[in-house]
Amino acid sequence: MSNSTASRAFANLNGNYELKGSAGRQQKAVTVDGVTLNGPLSDNRDGERFLEDAFQIIMNEAVKKGTDVTEKVCDWKEPGKLREMLDLELRETGENHERLLQRCHDVAKYSVKTSHPRFFNQLFAGLDHHSLAGRFLTEALNSSQYTYEVAPVFVLMEEVVLSTLRSLIGWDSGDGIFCPGGSISNLYAMNLARYRAFPEVKQRGLWAVPRLAVFTSKECHYSVGKSASVLGVGLQNVHPVKVDERGVMIPEDLDEQIENAKSQGSVPFLVSATSGTTILGAFDPLDKIADVCGKHKLWFHVDAAWGGSALLSKKHKHLLKGIDRADSVAWNPHKMLMAGLQSSAFLMKDSSGLLKQCHSANATYLFQQDKFYDMSYDTGDKSIQCGRKVDCLKLWLMWKATGTLGLEQRVDRAFAYTRYLVEEMKKRGGFQLVVEPQFVNLCFWYVPPSLRGEEGSEGYQEKLSKVAPTIKERMVKKGSMMVGYQPHQDKVNFFRLVVISPQITRADLDFFLDEIESLGRDL
């Protein structure tokens, strides 16, 4: 450091140096509460250099390697070992540029590559590069979507995207909002259904309502029960409706259960159907359920978080026939459409302002009544949140790049790949379907050679239940691929394969079958 530089630094510390302010005028550094105010706390140039270097790591380790079929899906480490390797502890002093870049590298290296062509573990997978660019831009702009003054572009964009989704359902008007996940969308539906039936609940609380009753299938998402618990409806008042062997709700049992609940003094107010159940991928018969809801004057919600994207396909949208008769719909484009986590829309047929009436708090520091623009563009009071992340940009940019026809191709391709796997499994020994798939959930058991022909024998089910967990452990530790498994109802552990990534090739599907056989052959 030169003498002049050292003198300048010393003078700065003592508050004696004249600095130029943002307006270009000379300012003398001052000290307030022991803090010297002599310019910015951080150097933008250093930050920009770090971002440029970090983006190189993100591109190489997360994007390029994350979609490279020759790389591992995961580099498995036991929790204690991984914690030690990552050095996660936070300290009083910061680290240098190179060490921080190594941190970024290590985070990417030891994270599961959910964009990998052989990641089949969840109801999301794959990578859309345009959506990822939208996510980057969202983070860089760091806006909150509650008022037009703070997020003008995104307020307008969200409404266009929501309107387009509503039109695919079959509504020419309505309302809606992006939520932090399909579970919150289901909670919104329950809250709105109760508010419509008993608007006084907003002010008086549970004292204002009788014992309520919710109806949903035994195959519903667990968020329906959670919503009932959070809202004070109670788990005991969620009535599970019978399903057939495919996991599809039986409307006749729904009608019977509603009548029974009424006879016992409960007040039914909501039916939540499912289009694309989490495990079996079942679609409830929406038209028949709508008839029951109409008969009893109940709010009809469709949880299409998983299956809603089938609406984009001319070949497969029949699975959701009758969805236009719903009062509300949950739809997650971050799943089958690959908009990126997370992109979850809550959509309503109502256009009377019910969503805002139910959730509004009229915070005067955000929603002033004397603003200089049309306050109808301040959409934040429709949400139970205050700050709300922008979730529309990634979907909008992806849609702009791909077009509706391109999204339809993704849906149709996922169905085709599922059908291909079904036919291939039937040609091979050891693969046993749990149910013929309605959707792109392919549920199956792998029966190793030692158990074939032993079906029905004593101990067979217990032995079969251990096959999927053992194969899963082997594939994860090897890093070759990832697929989920679970027990379900009276069925022992089976695999649930979900094929939606645009990066997948037929070779990846053949590899999957071969790898299952290889990992489970000796069991």
Side-chain angles (χ1 to χ4, degrees):
M1 180 183 293
S2 67
N3 289 337
S4 61
T5 303
S7 298
R8 175 174 174 168
F10 180 78
N12 281 344
L13 288 173
N14 285 276
N16 296 323
Y17 189 74
E18 296 285 331
L19 295 172
K20 285 190 176 181
S22 59
R25 58 188 174 84
Q26 294 291 318
Q27 290 183 323
K28 185 175 181 179
V30 297
T31 300
V32 179
D33 293 337
V35 178
T36 302
L37 307 180
N38 62 339
L41 188 60
S42 59
D43 187 336
N44 278 347
R45 291 168 298 180
D46 285 346
E48 289 162 5
R49 183 169 67 91
F50 176 76
L51 278 177
E52 289 172 357
D53 293 343
F55 265 117
Q56 285 299 314
I57 292 172
I58 293 169
M59 281 299 300
N60 291 331
E61 299 297 323
V63 177
K64 293 180 180 178
K65 289 185 180 179
T67 55
D68 186 346
V69 74
T70 65
E71 296 284 339
K72 289 185 176 183
V73 175
C74 68
D75 190 346
W76 174 259
K77 301 288 185 248
E78 294 296 332
K81 177 66 174 175
L82 182 59
R83 182 176 183 130
E84 179 183 342
M85 292 172 62
L86 294 176
D87 184 22
L88 297 173
E89 300 308 314
L90 301 174
R91 300 180 177 86
E92 290 191 359
T93 57
E95 297 179 336
N96 63 35
H97 182 91
E98 288 71 25
R99 191 73 187 93
L100 292 171
L101 291 176
Q102 184 62 46
R103 301 286 192 200
C104 294
H105 176 275
D106 291 346
V107 167
K109 176 178 173 60
Y110 296 111
S111 291
V112 175
K113 307 304 186 294
T114 62
S115 299
H116 195 285
R118 293 172 184 172
F119 177 83
F120 310 105
N121 207 68
Q122 313 298 147
L123 300 184
F124 64 89
L127 174 66
D128 182 279
H129 296 82
H130 299 97
S131 172
L132 182 58
R135 285 184 270 167
F136 286 156
L137 185 53
T138 296
E139 296 299 331
L141 292 172
N142 193 37
S143 190
S144 180
Q145 187 147 354
Y146 35 44
T147 62
Y148 183 80
E149 65 183 276
V150 172
V153 174
F154 301 129
V155 167
L156 299 176
M157 183 184 293
E158 181 179 59
E159 181 47 42
V160 169
V161 174
L162 292 173
S163 177
T164 305
L165 294 175
R166 288 195 298 265
S167 69
L168 289 167
I169 291 172
W171 300 334
D172 56 12
S173 63
D175 205 346
I177 197 165
F178 275 92
C179 295
S183 294
I184 301 301
S185 295
N186 289 338
L187 183 144
Y188 272 32
M190 191 175 294
N191 200 36
L192 282 156
R194 183 176 65 177
Y195 178 77
R196 186 182 71 172
F198 301 97
E200 61 271 26
V201 73
K202 183 175 179 179
Q203 295 295 330
R204 295 178 53 208
L206 297 181
W207 296 102
V209 297
R211 181 175 183 177
L212 301 176
V214 175
F215 302 86
T216 189
S217 87
K218 290 183 176 180
E219 295 287 326
C220 76
H221 191 262
Y222 62 80
S223 61
V224 177
K226 280 195 171 186
S227 297
S229 178
V230 168
L231 293 173
V233 173
L235 292 172
Q236 291 184 354
N237 298 311
V238 178
H239 299 258
V241 180
K242 292 178 182 178
V243 297
D244 64 18
E245 66 281 356
R246 301 170 300 162
V248 173
M249 184 192 288
I250 299 172
E252 293 77 14
D253 186 61
L254 170 65
D255 188 47
E256 183 178 337
Q257 290 216 37
I258 292 171
E259 295 288 1
N260 288 341
K262 287 180 176 180
S263 69
Q264 295 171 12
S266 293
V267 178
F269 74 107
L270 169 69
V271 172
S272 181
T274 312
S275 289
T277 58
T278 303
I279 298 174
L280 299 180
F283 285 74
D284 291 338
L286 303 183
D287 260 332
K288 292 183 178 179
I289 295 170
D291 290 341
V292 175
C293 291
K295 172 184 174 182
H296 295 281
K297 296 181 173 54
L298 306 182
W299 185 286
F300 179 27
H301 174 64
V302 178
D303 177 4
W306 175 218
S309 297
L311 286 168
L312 285 152
S313 169
K314 299 179 188 69
K315 295 179 183 177
H316 304 291
K317 65 181 181 180
H318 64 87
L319 291 168
L320 296 103
K321 185 178 181 298
I323 194 170
D324 57 301
R325 300 174 66 187
D327 293 292
S328 58
V329 172
W331 183 352
N332 288 4
H334 72 240
K335 293 183 175 176
M336 197 173 202
L337 297 184
M338 287 157 290
L341 286 164
Q342 56 191 1
S343 179
S344 304
F346 174 70
L347 305 163
M348 294 176 61
K349 183 186 293 183
D350 176 87
S351 56
S352 70
L354 187 70
L355 182 59
K356 184 175 180 179
Q357 294 164 27
C358 180
H359 292 152
S360 63
N362 300 311
T364 56
Y365 71 94
L366 284 174
F367 308 111
Q368 301 91 339
Q369 298 305 302
D370 53 359
K371 288 188 177 184
F372 60 92
Y373 60 85
D374 183 352
M375 277 195 60
S376 67
Y377 290 102
D378 287 356
T379 57
D381 239 4
K382 295 179 181 182
S383 170
I384 61 174
Q385 302 167 251
C386 178
R388 185 163 65 92
K389 189 177 179 66
V390 173
D391 284 331
C392 58
L393 174 56
K394 52 199 164 193
L395 175 57
W396 177 85
L397 191 59
M398 179 185 75
W399 207 318
K400 279 286 192 181
T402 309
T404 306
L405 292 178
L407 297 178
E408 180 180 21
Q409 288 176 348
R410 290 183 180 181
V411 174
D412 289 345
R413 187 181 179 91
F415 273 91
Y417 270 153
T418 304
R419 177 49 50 193
Y420 172 81
L421 281 165
V422 167
E423 297 307 317
E424 288 299 306
M425 284 183 180
K426 290 177 178 179
K427 297 175 186 177
R428 302 189 183 211
F431 290 91
Q432 182 180 338
L433 295 180
V434 175
V435 63
E436 283 283 342
Q438 262 192 297
F439 194 33
V440 296
N441 304 44
L442 181 47
C443 299
F444 69 94
W445 289 282
Y446 176 70
V447 183
S450 66
L451 291 179
R452 293 173 198 172
E454 300 296 318
E455 293 85 347
S457 64
E458 184 178 355
Y460 173 80
Q461 291 294 320
E462 182 181 355
K463 292 176 183 177
L464 182 61
S465 72
K466 297 177 181 178
V467 172
T470 302
I471 293 177
K472 175 68 176 278
E473 179 183 358
R474 290 177 177 182
M475 74 173 68
V476 169
K477 290 183 175 179
K478 183 179 177 182
S480 59
M481 60 184 192
M482 256 193 168
V483 64
Y485 75 87
Q486 64 283 302
H488 187 60
Q489 307 292 359
D490 59 345
K491 298 177 176 63
V492 300
N493 286 323
F494 57 85
F495 289 111
R496 183 202 63 178
L497 173 63
V498 179
V499 182
I500 56 174
S501 169
Q503 279 80 34
I504 289 174
T505 67
R506 197 182 73 184
D508 295 315
L509 304 184
D510 293 336
F511 173 87
F512 174 85
L513 298 174
D514 293 341
E515 186 74 350
I516 290 288
E517 289 177 331
S518 174
L519 295 172
R521 188 175 293 121
D522 64 335
L523 298 179

